[in-house]
Amino acid sequence: MGKYTDLPSWRERNKNGFLLTETLMYTAAALVMIVLFFSAVVQGTRLYVRAGARHNLLRQAMACEEIVYADLRYAADCRVTPSQILFKNAAGEESGYFISGRHLYRRLNHGNRQPLTGNDNGEGYTNVYIAHYGKEPYFSADGDTICMQFVLVNGRTGDEQICAVRALPLAKIWRNDHGET
């Protein structure tokens, strides 16, 4: 019996070594740190993508507002329907804007169209489209003032950006100031 009593018990072990429970504890702590790191990376990536989509919507809305306002400001003989505006541009050529398939297009003077909204890369797919702003039509006329309002929507992120323009054509102002109709 003496040979078994000479062995040190596990409580009296040498303090230079690790026990299995300590190894498991450090491994679990390392795994928790790795999971937290990767979840932070995923969340950061999602925020980056959403910020890029938001920036794209804002850029498109500003471009639409500037282009449409500049054209409508120098427009003459405007004809407005809920889905299109037709007018003569500063050069006296027929031009306008219209909605087709949830996108805003500019009618060019040689009969072609130019998309102003969306991010179509030529393959016909886009995740940016327009929707009605409340119950308002896309285009309307309020006296001599021409109005355009819609909401740009990113279908992937669900972000929205309002795009609205109110323009009084200079031809109307000039005619009103000089008593012509």
Side-chain angles (χ1 to χ4, degrees), residues 38-115:
F38 282 124
S39 66
V41 168
V42 167
Q43 186 175 1
T45 304
R46 286 182 186 156
L47 289 173
Y48 176 77
V49 167
R50 188 165 181 151
R54 183 81 181 125
H55 176 73
N56 184 28
L57 285 179
L58 188 59
R59 219 182 55 214
Q60 281 191 36
M62 287 175 44
C64 285
E65 289 172 354
E66 289 174 8
I67 292 169
V68 171
Y69 181 79
D71 279 351
L72 292 180
R73 192 72 170 144
Y74 296 102
D77 300 328
C78 298
R79 296 171 307 283
V80 180
T81 66
S83 62
Q84 74 174 346
I85 300 174
L86 297 173
F87 56 87
K88 290 191 179 190
N89 61 17
E93 301 165 334
E94 284 289 326
S95 188
Y97 294 94
F98 66 97
I99 306 296
S100 175
R102 299 193 329 173
H103 297 290
L104 175 65
Y105 291 92
R106 179 188 223 175
R107 187 180 311 273
L108 302 175
N109 56 10
H110 59 290
N112 288 343
R113 66 184 190 174
Q114 175 187 15

